[in-house]
Structure formats: structure tokens, C-alpha cells
Amino acid sequence: MGKKICVIGSSNIDQFSYVNKFPKEGETIIGESFKTGFGGKGANQAVMAGILGSDVYIISCLGNDIFAESTIDNFKKNKVNTEYIQRADVSSGVAPIWVDSRGENKIVVVPGANSEINAEEAINSIKKIKNVSYVVGQAEIPMKVNYEVFEYSKRNNILTIFNPAPGMILDDKFLDSVDWLIPNENEFEIISGLKLSKENILEFSSKIYSNLIVTLGKQGAFLVEDNKIIEFEAPSVKVADTTGAGDAFVGAFVHGMSKNLAPKESIKLAIEKASSSVQRKGTQSSYSSSSE
Ligand code: RIB
């Protein structure tokens, strides 16, 4: 089956309103259509890896509402192991999302149970899963939990991948526990404090321990290797909805790595899956064979 992947992170119910143009402040507009679906950056990354055939586990915290059971069923349908999901007596995470006619989005995440995830339980889960090769995280759960889980993983020779989304300033000690850092262009600017340019990517990369990939949407991605930028192009496609494309990239990248593909081959696979996802509406429902 390949190496074991453990994704720690958020699960949300995404609530999409498709609009022609985003409303201005104080303006009411009539939307085109509405749909709900399974989302959350952690869940999306795990589901993409599961669809591709990874041996993948999710550590996430769900609430006490009707969303929780359907979220667990959806993970199972997408071949994600749900044994280590935590529960809290609050509502599950939700994300109202607006998508305009260009496929661009605006997202509000209301974390609910995602804020209640317990670090000690997460570490115990990783111990019980045994022989985990990759731990993957993002920033929609409390960073204190990511710190503890990544520090444990690093000490135990588990490779760590961190997608700093939503963007935030990361502390240096945490960055020392990250093997692969994968921001998008906006997140790069937030975490580095620098404008996006090849020179600034190289400058930031020289100051951190981790490998660095910057995703660039329809422009593809940059990988820093041997103090040089390697460019990867994305195919030109008709965009319906960009929501979850970054998560498709991370899930497909870790899948490739877990199957012993070289990083460059894993990035090509990640771009292919992200580019495919933007051509369909929704988050996990846009990940080709997802059964949402
Ligand atoms: O990256 C897309 C995701 O961001 C959505 O699924 C939404 O839930 C938010 O977490």
C-alpha cells in the first residue's frame, strides 16, 4: 500500500454560494446557486490522498451534530482511515464560501470542534498507528497542537509537511520541525514578510531548515533545490471553482512521496490533480473520483 500518511487538521461542511460578482459592503445580491459539501483543509488533503490510493489516516475533531456522522461516512467512502477521529460536545466546523464567475472564492471558516482537537490524543494516535512515514498539517486547528505533533514527529523521524493555510507568521522553532513547507503565493508573503519574487523565495529558503515549494495557482509552482528555483508549469484549463485546489496539491504531493516518487515527480502529480479539481465546482466533489 505504500508508506503510512497521517493528516492532522480541520474538517468542515462547506456551504457554497455561486455568484456572478461578489457583493460590495452593505450590498445585497441574488446568487446563482447553492450547494453543500465536505471540506476543511485537513479533510481535503486526506481525501485526495485516499482517492489516489494512499494508506492515509485522518486526525480531526468533529462535533456532536448531524454533520459528524456524514463526515465520517465520507472519509470511509474515500478510503481514509477514521479510527483516530476525535469528538467534542460542540458544533462541527463549517465554512460559508462565495465563488464568483471567475471561480475565485472568499471563505469564512467557523472552526467549532476543530478548535477542540487534543494534542496528546493526536500523538497517542500516531503512536498507535505505528510506522507513520509522513505527518501533514495546516493552520485551521490551534497552532499549539501542530507544534506538539510536529515536534513529536520530528523527534521520531517522521517526515513532516506543513501547508501554512490560512497564512500566519510561524515561529522559528516550529519551522525547525517542518521538512516540507508548502505555502501559496499569499501565504509565502505572510510567513516570510517578503514580496513574492524568485530572489525573495531564495532568500527566505536560505534562512529555514525545511524544503520549500511555493504554489502559484494557474502559474504552477516553484521548488527550491540547491539554492535554485525549479519552475513547474500548470496546464491551461477552464476554471469553474478554485476552492480546495491547494489542498488537492498537498494531498497528491504527499501521496506521490509516500509511493517513493521523487519530489519533482510528486509536484507534477500535485499540479495535475490541482488543475483537474479547478475545472469542477465544490471542494472534495471536484477531486475526480470522490463520491461526495
Ligand atoms: O482550502 C479550501 C477549504 O478551506 C474549504 O474546504 C474550507 O472548508 C476551508 O477549510
Side-chain angles (χ1 to χ4, degrees), residues 34 51 60 63 70 87 97 142 148 153 179 189 191 215 239 241 246 261 278 289:
F34 176 80
I51 289 170
S60 195
S70 57
R87 299 294 290 266
I97 302 176
E148 290 182 36
S153 303
D179 292 298
E189 293 193 344
I191 57 180
T215 61
V239 175
D241 183 350
L261 291 186
V278 301
S289 50

Side-chain angles (χ1 to χ4, degrees), residues 206-243:
S206 70
K207 290 191 206 144
I208 59 172
Y209 160 82
S210 65
N211 295 291
L212 180 63
I213 299 170
V214 181
T215 61
L216 305 164
K218 59 181 173 223
Q219 318 288 359
F222 287 158
L223 162 71
V224 179
E225 195 178 76
D226 298 333
N227 209 26
K228 288 194 191 70
I229 300 256
I230 305 192
E231 296 182 40
F232 296 83
E233 281 184 8
S236 168
V237 295
K238 191 163 182 289
V239 175
D241 183 350
T242 56
T243 312

Side-chain angles (χ1 to χ4, degrees), residues 189-205:
E189 293 193 344
I190 296 170
I191 57 180
S192 67
L194 301 167
K195 285 265 160 238
L196 184 83
S197 71
K198 288 184 183 169
E199 295 69 36
N200 286 342
I201 290 174
L202 289 176
E203 184 188 330
F204 178 65
S205 170

